[in-house]
């Protein structure tokens, strides 16, 4: 897979990008933890492992073995190991640095499809997805980091996010919801309005088989903005028949982000549609970290680790060659994000 497009990284652009990356990760975690006194779920854990996998994929370009879907899948396998061990095992060489964190080993309502999907080392494809009936939002909730690949073309962002999602959620509506969500985050991170970012996702979806439920859900969200007063009832109405599918959660998140007076208001609305992690990531990408509520951040579990991952991601995309160029064989960066092997 090849990235396309270019980003000119001046000092102001770097600062803006880092703020939005932090906003996406912290905002998604705030939405995930909303109403639970800062404790996050498996959605945030897996988002963090997605970031780790994407950084490693970028580092591995030096070796000529550039295949991001494989590196992201390996990251999900490392998360899977934490769900079955009591804690970090120093004897294992494939732990990775995230797996040294004790709190990852506490099960936080992991989705069953994630556990079964990551239970083997086979890489799923569009022809052979895992759990082809799984349609809930768990895969979408971990997919915001794909949208932070700002140098990629939106169509490739959609492709990679969908490939990451079908490793556990093989229903087209689930993996295309993940792809559309990543494209929207991508547009916001590059400075687009939310309307423009949603429009770009809608323009890309028709080329994908099985897109209709996702396309219809996004149109429902846009239509709902023009009708009535924003509130929990309007959010609930975006789930026909009371369903809680990936596309319903995406529609609720987009609607809540569009009508939000501020980040806390958007997160409160999103809670009614079980779309907190998605809405939080959208608002974080749109406004950056400084718009996030201080009170929520103060008690957010894993905040320091989320910040480190966000800053590492921003460093990799803006200064990658100086961190692990072909002439470097050892460095703190390569210890944390090794080039070779399945670690």
């Amino acid at each position: 897979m090849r990235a396309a497009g270019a980003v000119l990284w001046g000092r102001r652009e770097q600062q803006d990008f880092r703020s939005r990356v932090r906003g996406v990760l912290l905002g998604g975690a705030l939405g995930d933890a909303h109403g639970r006194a800062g404790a996050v779920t498996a959605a945030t854990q897996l988002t963090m492992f997605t970031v780790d996998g994407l950084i490693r994929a970028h580092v591995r370009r030096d070796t000529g073995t550039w295949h991001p879907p494989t590196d992201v899948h390996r990251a999900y396998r490392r998360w899977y190991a934490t769900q079955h061990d009591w804690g970090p095992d120093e004897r294992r060489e494939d732990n990775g640095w995230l797996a040294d964190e004790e709190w990852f080993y506490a099960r936080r309502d992991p989705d069953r499809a994630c556990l079964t999907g990551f239970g083997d080392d086979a890489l799923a494809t569009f022809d052979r997805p895992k759990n082809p009936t799984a349609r809930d939002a768990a895969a979408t909730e971990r997919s915001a980091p794909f949208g932070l690949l700002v140098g990629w073309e939106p169509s490739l962002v959609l492709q990679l996010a969908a490939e990451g999602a079908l490793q556990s959620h093989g229903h087209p509506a689930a993996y295309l919801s993940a792809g559309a969500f990543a494209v929207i985050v991508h547009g916001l991170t590059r400075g687009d309005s939310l309307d423009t970012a949603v429009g770009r996702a809608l323009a890309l979806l028709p080329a994908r088989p099985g897109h209709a439920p996702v396309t219809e859900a996004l149109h429902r969200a846009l239509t709902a903005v023009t009708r009535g007063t924003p509130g929990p009832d309007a959010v609930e109405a975006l789930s026909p028949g009371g369903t809680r599918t990936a596309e319903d959660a995406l529609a609720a998140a987009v609607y809540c982000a569009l009508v939000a007076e501020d980040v806390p208001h958007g997160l409160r609305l999103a809670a009614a549609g079980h779309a907190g992690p998605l809405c939080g990531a959208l608002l974080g990408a749109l406004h950056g970290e400084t718009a996030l509520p201080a009170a929520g951040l103060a008690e957010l579990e894993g905040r320091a680790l989320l910040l480190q991952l966000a800053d590492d991601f921003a460093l990799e995309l803006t200064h990658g060659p100086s961190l692990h160029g072909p002439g470097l064989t050892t460095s703190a960066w390569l210890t944390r994000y090794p080039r070779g092997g399945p670690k």
Side-chain angles (χ1 to χ4, degrees):
M1 182 172 288
R2 179 176 60 87
V7 178
L8 299 177
W9 295 111
R11 181 175 298 176
R12 182 173 297 176
E13 288 79 14
Q14 290 182 44
Q15 291 174 340
D16 180 73
F17 179 59
R18 184 176 67 174
S19 177
R20 292 178 194 267
V21 174
R22 285 181 165 192
V24 167
L25 298 190
L26 293 172
L30 283 175
D32 186 31
H34 195 70
R36 288 189 300 280
V40 299
T41 74
T44 295
Q45 292 178 339
L46 276 165
T47 298
M48 296 166 79
F49 275 88
T50 302
V51 175
D52 181 60
L54 289 175
I55 295 174
R56 291 185 187 219
H58 270 254
V59 170
R60 281 167 61 84
R61 284 183 300 179
D62 296 341
T63 69
T65 56
W66 162 252
H67 191 249
T70 296
D71 290 296
V72 171
H73 180 240
R74 287 171 176 167
Y76 294 156
R77 291 276 290 158
R78 290 192 293 275
W79 170 83
Y80 175 82
T82 70
Q83 302 300 288
H84 295 276
D85 294 338
W86 289 102
D89 185 348
E90 296 180 358
R91 297 168 298 179
R92 292 187 56 164
E93 296 183 357
D94 60 345
N95 278 333
W97 74 279
L98 282 184
D100 290 336
E101 298 294 326
E102 291 280 354
W103 67 279
F104 277 117
Y105 292 81
R107 282 203 174 190
R108 299 295 178 80
D109 301 318
D111 184 81
R112 179 174 177 79
C114 293
L115 292 173
T116 59
F118 306 145
D120 65 77
D121 200 34
L123 185 69
T125 64
F126 289 101
D127 292 332
R128 300 182 113 182
K130 295 182 181 179
N131 301 319
T133 62
R135 193 172 177 171
D136 62 77
T140 307
E141 289 172 347
R142 66 175 185 255
S143 296
F146 297 110
L148 300 174
L149 297 168
V150 293
W152 290 46
E153 294 295 338
S155 60
L156 290 177
V157 170
L158 191 154
Q159 172 81 9
L160 180 55
E163 286 188 73
L166 61 81
Q167 304 306 322
S168 61
H169 288 66
H171 193 288
Y175 62 71
L176 290 178
S177 290
F181 175 58
V183 168
I184 297 170
V185 171
H186 183 260
L188 296 177
T189 305
R190 292 177 62 151
D192 290 343
S193 69
L194 183 50
D195 283 318
T196 298
V198 173
R200 183 170 292 110
L202 285 168
L204 291 173
L205 282 168
R208 303 283 175 160
H211 74 92
V214 185
T215 298
E216 292 167 3
L218 287 174
H219 280 301
R220 285 201 307 273
L222 295 176
T223 301
V225 173
T226 66
R227 295 178 178 173
T229 303
D233 290 342
V235 179
E236 289 281 355
L238 292 169
S239 299
T243 60
R244 296 295 182 193
T245 62
E247 66 268 28
D248 292 341
L250 178 61
V254 167
Y255 170 79
C256 293
L258 282 168
V259 302
E261 298 171 0
D262 52 26
V263 175
H265 178 233
L267 291 178
R268 288 194 299 272
L269 284 177
H274 300 277
L278 304 184
C279 182
L282 293 177
L283 291 170
L286 183 62
H287 300 296
E289 65 169 320
T290 57
L292 302 179
L297 291 174
E299 63 180 7
L300 182 63
E301 182 180 33
R303 176 164 59 100
L305 194 59
L306 283 159
L307 283 170
Q308 182 177 354
L309 271 171
D311 290 352
D312 281 1
F313 189 94
L315 276 174
E316 174 60 34
L317 263 66
T318 58
H319 296 285
S322 66
L323 295 169
H324 54 79
L328 291 174
T329 56
T330 59
S331 68
W333 197 260
L334 290 175
T335 299
R336 197 149 70 244
Y337 305 108
R339 285 192 186 111
K343 296 180 181 180

